[in-house]
Amino acid sequence: MPRLNINQLAIIVNGTLHGRGEGFIEQLETDSRNIQPGSAALFVAIRGDRHDGHDYLDDLLEGGLRYFLIEEVSPRLKTHPDASYILVENTLQALQQLASHIRTQLRMPVIAITGSNGKTVVKEWLATCLSQKGQVSRSPKSYNSQVGVPLSVWLLQADADWSILEAGISLPGEMEKLEKIIAPDLGIFTNIGPAHQENFASLEQKVIEKLKLFRHAKVLYCCLDHRYIHQEVSRQQLGCQMVTWSKESRNCYLYVREIKTKGNSTLLSISYDHKDEVFSLPFTDEASLENCLHILCFLLHQGFQSAEVQAGFDALVPVAMRLEQIDGQGNCTLINDSYNSDLHSLRIALDYLSTQKQHKKHSLILSDIRQSGTDINKLYAEVFNLTRRYALHQLIVVGPDIKNSGRMPDEARWFPTTGELLMNLRTIDLREQTLLIKGARDFGFEQIVSALAKKKHSTVLEINLEHLVHNLNYFRGLLQPETRIMVMVKALSYGSGSFEIANLLQHQKVDYLGVAYTDEGVELRRAGVSLPIMVMAPTEGSFAELIEYKLEPEIFSLEGLNSFVRLLSSGQSDQYPVHLKIDTGMHRLGFMPEEIGKLIRQLAATPAVRVKGIFSHLAVSDNPEEDEFTRNQIRLFREISDELTTALGYQPIRYILNSAGIERFPEAHLDMVRLGIGLHGISAVNGLLKPVSTLKTIISQIKKVPKTDTVGYNRHGILDRDSEIAILPVGYADGLNRKLGNRNGQVWYKDTLVPFIGDICMDLCMIDVTGLDAGIGDEVIIFGEQHTISQLALQVGTIPYEILTGISTRVKRIYLNT
């Protein structure tokens, strides 16, 4: 990672330097939310379709930032005595130009990865395998875009033995720009599929565009079985050497002779370079096997020995296991990143820690950093310079290198081994704080997580925060820039967790949150959520607390309005924000059309409230057969809200659309929309949403049951063959619907849909795993990406809402941020 004088940087990007004009840049940022006060960061103000970084210049100045790369200057920035700013015509082009310059200074081999799927997984796993022999520097997260790639290049370590970058495109013409920045020596093309296909005429065109990344590479690794890739590689006549693998043809470098599943692992028999080998992979699913085969082909061709390759595979863990967030003992929150440790991932994890507002105190447990290849004095100087930026409450460090570096801060508490720390955990007060647990895999920090986690059973609900943000951005992309967005986080945010989701949404700068009851809003306020919060069903008895915590009530009746005004008048409050609910046909809560005249007169008689919003609720927005009814609701809402606005003399926020309405009725987006179930991956039009929640458990026991016997209560589990029955530790007390029993529902196990057998019990259920070589401890998916929550809901004749909100609080929530 470079450290550039701002004068030098201005010359590189062909910009003009203004202001104070001195200082060194150590960090690049395009997201104002990631900048820590007092950091030596340069904020690059990018203009996008729905945002403009220039809108945040004054806020960043107020927060202490002093370095900016901009296209236009704000009056406050222009006159600030301590600020330095570089003016350019196009900040994105300037950022890419800076990255290209930095790339020319790198001397290690640069590996580029592209494809429709698997880029990030292959990058992370390849880095793990390469680190068995040297230092690896790689792009963070999924930084593969026109902005992400330049930021990744800035973060690369110049003294690494290998660098790995991933590249993704969504439009023709983008890859040429990325190729100039990355200039890869070696390349991996994972696969080709329909992702971002809407901007390409065909899969062939998309392959051609992606192959432009490798036009100056030395070697390209890919699968011979992907017809479009192999076909276009042959046509394009790339100058690089082609190294391929295949499960279908022996006319390749690496041929897969046999794939055999054994429990939770796979034995892979291959032939390459006149040799036969067998490797064990810690995965059984097809996607992971393909990802591993790309890596295997690369490593063997690059001269790795079989034992080195196997050692790398043994160290692999699912990428989704990064940054788990779980409840800890003593009302603490644990962020589990106990599977790898390097400077880049530490920075990402600390950034994520800083977004957590549920506790005022943030602490870190950190191990020695492995395979860094950097002098330990220099490495830990960087590490602890980084940790100082985050105002940590406690810093606990483990390992001899940290101690021997001489750089350990005085306030840090040191332990030589993980075992020593575990023996002394009771002497450390970790209550009421958010704790990042960050360690290299060989330190076994998962033992610390296990010791500190709340003791709940082995059924868990995983919430993928990256997918949630993807879904939020999908809906944002359907809106006009001026249309605001309220996200519903009622009922534990549809079962996913209240403040965990609310914190993320606050970081993503949504405009409003919505809850059902006052106590839900109070909990969010106590967790540090400062966004405006609307309460949809407040009771009169909760009005005082609602006002104390600055929550905004839905007013749906004249009686409710009068009660709220009386309380405000007794407290001398004035112009308190409220939201008026109009009944346009749902016939639940809300003012009927004939009550609007009385409502207007009542509002005119009191200065105690100010109407912040006017809204209604659609009854059948997801049903095309009822579109006439929906349009009548929208028409009536427009008429009533216009009448109210005229009478008030000012413009409240108007909103009527829910998730399905956002997708299906763009003409009615109005001033704000209300996003609920869509955030969790449920689309009314098969939109490009990603599943957020995965309910998973494990097999507790396996029994061989003859066909003459039955399974479960009431002997309802009738068998038609001698069977193997697996018992799962999940039942209706966890939210598993009893209607799923007796083969009415299925789970996902070993890439197969497996039926429930017998009645669903309170704490247990049974599935038929005959012929599947089942093992105790094997993972079983109740619903997730392969077997969706919508499919599960159809099996019992309900809706995804009921499934999600019915998951019991005794099921541990784990938050994944990959």
Side-chain angles (χ1 to χ4, degrees):
M1 187 170 62
R3 182 174 184 264
L4 290 179
N5 184 291
I6 194 167
N7 289 274
Q8 180 186 3
L9 199 151
I11 294 170
I12 293 169
V13 300
N14 295 322
T16 56
L17 180 60
H18 301 267
R20 188 174 182 182
E22 59 183 45
F24 286 87
I25 305 302
E26 299 177 355
Q27 179 183 352
L28 286 183
E29 282 294 349
T30 59
D31 189 337
S32 61
R33 298 165 296 187
N34 293 337
I35 296 177
Q36 299 297 315
S39 65
L42 175 74
F43 177 65
V44 184
I46 302 290
R47 297 188 193 275
D49 293 335
R50 301 186 52 79
H51 72 275
D52 186 346
H54 295 82
D55 295 339
Y56 306 105
L57 298 182
D58 289 349
D59 289 343
L60 289 167
L61 268 176
E62 183 72 25
L65 188 68
R66 295 296 177 259
Y67 306 113
F68 303 86
L69 178 62
I70 55 177
E71 295 174 14
E72 62 177 291
V73 62
S74 69
R76 187 175 177 189
L77 177 58
K78 191 173 185 177
T79 58
H80 197 288
D82 296 324
S84 300
Y85 59 93
I86 301 170
L87 273 175
V88 294
E89 290 186 6
N90 185 300
T91 50
L92 177 58
Q93 290 179 9
L95 176 64
Q96 293 174 343
Q97 190 170 336
L98 174 61
S100 296
H101 171 81
I102 294 169
R103 171 63 182 93
T104 63
Q105 312 301 307
L106 301 177
R107 295 293 174 260
M108 82 291 282
V110 173
I111 306 161
I113 303 172
T114 194
S116 295
N117 302 105
K119 296 185 293 293
T120 302
V121 175
V122 171
K123 177 196 69 185
E124 293 294 326
W125 289 355
L126 179 60
T128 298
C129 292
L130 290 174
S131 67
Q132 305 300 310
K133 289 187 67 174
Q135 181 185 1
V136 182
S137 188
R138 67 191 187 281
S139 54
K141 295 186 180 181
S142 300
Y143 277 29
N144 57 33
S145 66
Q146 299 292 303
V147 174
V149 168
L151 293 177
S152 297
V153 171
W154 173 271
L155 292 171
L156 294 179
Q157 296 168 262
D159 56 353
D161 297 297
W162 297 277
S163 289
I164 313 175
L165 298 167
E166 57 177 293
I169 58 172
S170 56
L171 291 168
E174 289 184 334
M175 194 59 89
E176 289 98 329
K177 298 175 183 176
L178 297 185
E179 192 276 337
K180 292 177 182 177
I181 300 169
I182 300 173
D185 302 291
L186 307 169
I188 298 175
F189 199 144
T190 60
N191 51 45
I192 197 68
H196 302 295
Q197 186 60 42
E198 62 273 14
N199 297 318
F200 297 91
S202 63
L203 281 176
E204 291 92 335
Q205 185 196 14
K206 187 158 61 173
V207 172
I208 292 170
E209 290 292 325
K210 287 180 178 289
L211 283 173
K212 291 176 181 177
L213 177 60
F214 308 115
R215 60 185 179 183
H216 296 116
K218 298 173 184 175
V219 185
L220 173 59
Y221 300 86
C222 63
C223 177
L224 190 65
D225 303 337
H226 288 297
R227 179 171 60 88
Y228 287 117
I229 297 176
H230 183 247
Q231 175 180 292
E232 292 305 326
V233 165
S234 301
R235 287 179 180 172
Q236 296 299 311
Q237 295 183 337
L238 294 175
C240 59
Q241 178 187 2
M242 293 296 304
V243 178
T244 60
W245 64 269
S246 174
K247 292 188 284 186
E248 301 172 3
S249 171
R250 290 182 176 271
N251 188 27
C252 59
Y253 173 75
L254 186 153
Y255 172 64
V256 181
R257 293 184 287 110
E258 183 182 26
I259 297 175
K260 185 177 180 180
T261 301
K262 185 178 181 180
N264 289 325
S265 61
T266 299
L267 293 178
L268 198 65
S269 299
I270 66 157
S271 298
Y272 79 100
D273 201 20
H274 308 295
K275 302 175 187 176
D276 292 337
E277 297 277 3
V278 178
F279 293 94
S280 176
L281 308 180
F283 310 102
T284 59
D285 61 287
E286 285 293 327
S288 294
L289 295 182
E290 180 177 270
N291 294 333
C292 287
L293 279 163
H294 288 305
I295 295 166
L296 180 59
C297 185
F298 179 95
L299 295 175
L300 292 175
H301 186 260
Q302 287 291 314
F304 276 59
Q305 299 300 309
S306 299
E308 295 169 335
V309 174
Q310 187 60 63
F313 284 157
D314 291 342
L316 298 184
V317 295
V319 172
M321 295 179 76
R322 296 283 310 284
L323 291 177
E324 296 175 334
Q325 183 178 324
I326 56 181
D327 291 335
Q329 300 173 37
N331 194 33
C332 72
T333 300
L334 308 178
I335 299 175
N336 176 18
D337 197 4
S338 62
Y339 299 96
N340 77 327
S341 185
D342 59 65
L343 194 59
H344 291 170
S345 63
L346 175 62
R347 181 179 292 105
I348 292 168
L350 285 168
D351 282 344
Y352 181 67
L353 175 67
S354 71
T355 69
Q356 303 305 302
K357 305 299 182 185
Q358 58 268 43
H359 303 294
K360 292 182 179 179
K361 295 183 289 189
H362 292 167
S363 297
L364 168 66
I365 299 179
L366 178 69
S367 80
D368 282 350
I369 292 177
R370 298 303 199 199
Q371 289 98 26
S372 73
T374 304
D375 174 78
I376 63 170
N377 292 316
K378 179 182 176 183
L379 171 65
Y380 290 105
E382 290 188 62
V383 166
F384 295 121
N385 281 337
L386 179 64
T387 60
R388 288 186 189 97
R389 299 176 189 170
Y390 291 86
L392 296 172
H393 174 66
Q394 292 189 82
L395 175 60
I396 301 164
V397 292
V398 179
D401 287 354
I402 292 177
K403 179 81 167 180
N404 295 334
S405 72
R407 298 288 186 170
M408 188 173 70
D410 293 339
E411 67 273 14
R413 187 166 180 180
W414 176 77
F415 296 91
T417 66
T418 303
E420 288 284 338
L421 172 56
L422 287 167
M423 286 191 293
N424 287 275
L425 267 182
R426 291 185 179 182
T427 68
I428 306 172
D429 186 0
L430 297 173
R431 295 171 296 175
E432 302 284 346
Q433 56 190 284
T434 304
L435 177 63
L436 171 61
I437 301 172
K438 176 73 174 167
R441 191 180 185 192
D442 60 324
F443 276 85
F445 270 18
E446 63 271 15
Q447 301 171 71
I448 301 172
V449 176
S450 178
L452 294 175
K454 278 188 177 179
K455 304 307 179 187
K456 296 190 177 183
H457 66 67
S458 51
T459 298
V460 300
L461 183 68
E462 289 185 350
I463 296 98
N464 189 313
L465 300 180
E466 293 284 336
H467 285 190
L468 190 141
V469 171
H470 167 89
N471 296 341
L472 173 64
N473 289 333
Y474 163 79
F475 281 97
R476 277 177 161 163
L478 301 177
L479 306 175
Q480 294 299 314
E482 64 272 11
T483 302
R484 287 178 263 195
I485 190 164
M486 173 187 287
V487 179
M488 304 308 299
V489 291
K490 60 182 180 176
L492 280 175
S493 191
Y494 295 78
S496 297
S498 54
F499 60 77
E500 295 90 350
I501 302 301
N503 266 331
L504 176 67
L505 294 170
Q506 180 166 266
H507 185 68
Q508 292 296 321
K509 296 188 180 295
V510 303
D511 301 285
Y512 257 92
L513 298 178
V515 297
Y517 298 109
T518 299
D519 55 355
E520 293 177 317
V522 170
E523 181 183 356
L524 295 182
R525 285 284 186 256
R526 288 173 174 168
V529 176
S530 58
L531 284 173
I533 299 174
M534 192 267 279
V535 182
M536 300 194 75
T539 61
E540 184 175 350
S542 71
F543 282 163
E545 195 172 32
L546 183 147
I547 293 168
E548 178 185 354
Y549 285 92
K550 294 182 173 58
L551 308 174
E552 301 178 15
E554 168 190 317
I555 300 295
F556 50 80
S557 69
L558 291 170
E559 296 79 9
L561 176 61
N562 290 332
S563 296
F564 192 63
V565 167
R566 281 196 299 272
L567 182 63
L568 289 170
S569 300
S570 65
Q572 306 299 315
S573 296
D574 198 21
Q575 296 284 290
Y576 197 92
V578 300
H579 296 249
L580 303 179
K581 175 73 172 290
I582 310 300
D583 188 343
T584 58
M586 181 80 162
H587 297 327
R588 234 173 29 179
L589 298 177
F591 292 96
M592 296 292 286
E594 58 269 22
E595 295 180 294
I596 299 305
K598 290 182 180 179
L599 173 61
I600 289 173
R601 290 191 291 274
Q602 178 64 32
L603 289 169
T606 175
V609 298
R610 180 178 179 84
V611 179
K612 188 71 172 291
I614 305 171
F615 75 106
S616 187
H617 205 117
L618 297 178
V620 284
S621 61
D622 59 344
N623 187 351
E625 296 179 2
E626 295 283 0
D627 281 358
E628 182 179 356
F629 183 87
T630 300
R631 289 194 173 92
N632 283 333
Q633 277 195 274
I634 294 170
R635 176 190 53 77
L636 180 58
F637 177 71
R638 287 182 184 272
E639 292 174 0
I640 293 175
S641 61
D642 285 347
E643 182 182 358
L644 280 165
T645 298
T646 300
L648 291 169
Y650 57 86
Q651 180 66 65
I653 303 168
R654 298 177 306 152
Y655 54 107
I656 189 172
L657 296 186
N658 54 8
S659 297
I662 298 169
E663 292 185 291
R664 300 193 63 245
F665 298 95
E667 70 278 7
H669 286 167
L670 303 178
D671 305 313
M672 187 161 69
V673 296
R674 195 173 57 248
L675 177 60
I677 195 68
L679 187 72
H680 301 271
I682 309 301
S683 171
V685 297
N686 296 316
L688 299 175
L689 298 178
K690 295 183 177 182
V692 170
S693 299
T694 299
L695 181 63
K696 59 172 58 175
T697 189
I698 62 170
I699 293 177
S700 296
Q701 189 178 19
I702 302 169
K703 296 190 172 184
K704 294 185 183 296
V705 182
K707 68 178 180 180
T708 54
D709 285 2
T710 57
V711 177
Y713 284 121
N714 304 307
R715 302 196 68 200
H716 286 163
I718 298 173
L719 304 176
D720 57 6
R721 61 182 178 179
D722 293 343
S723 303
E724 285 191 354
I725 304 301
I727 294 87
L728 310 180
V730 56
Y732 58 77
D734 302 297
L736 197 61
N737 196 303
R738 290 189 76 245
K739 294 179 182 178
L740 289 165
N742 300 302
R743 302 187 187 276
N744 292 320
Q746 299 167 306
V747 298
W748 187 258
Y749 174 62
K750 288 196 171 182
D751 296 330
T752 304
L753 284 172
V754 175
F756 290 101
I757 184 76
D759 291 351
I760 304 294
C761 310
M762 178 181 287
D763 307 303
L764 301 166
C765 65
M766 292 70 71
I767 60 174
D768 188 342
V769 293
T770 306
L772 292 178
D773 190 26
I776 293 174
D778 285 359
E779 182 178 87
V780 177
I781 305 297
I782 309 298
F783 62 77
E785 190 163 0
Q786 300 89 350
H787 181 44
T788 68
I789 191 170
S790 296
Q791 292 168 331
L792 191 75
L794 283 174
Q795 291 174 357
V796 293
T798 186
I799 56 177
Y801 297 77
E802 183 178 357
I803 301 289
L804 270 177
T805 57
I807 304 301
S808 166
T809 54
R810 79 176 187 177
V811 174
K812 180 168 65 175
R813 271 67 172 171
I814 295 179
Y815 299 89
L816 308 181
N817 190 340
T818 57

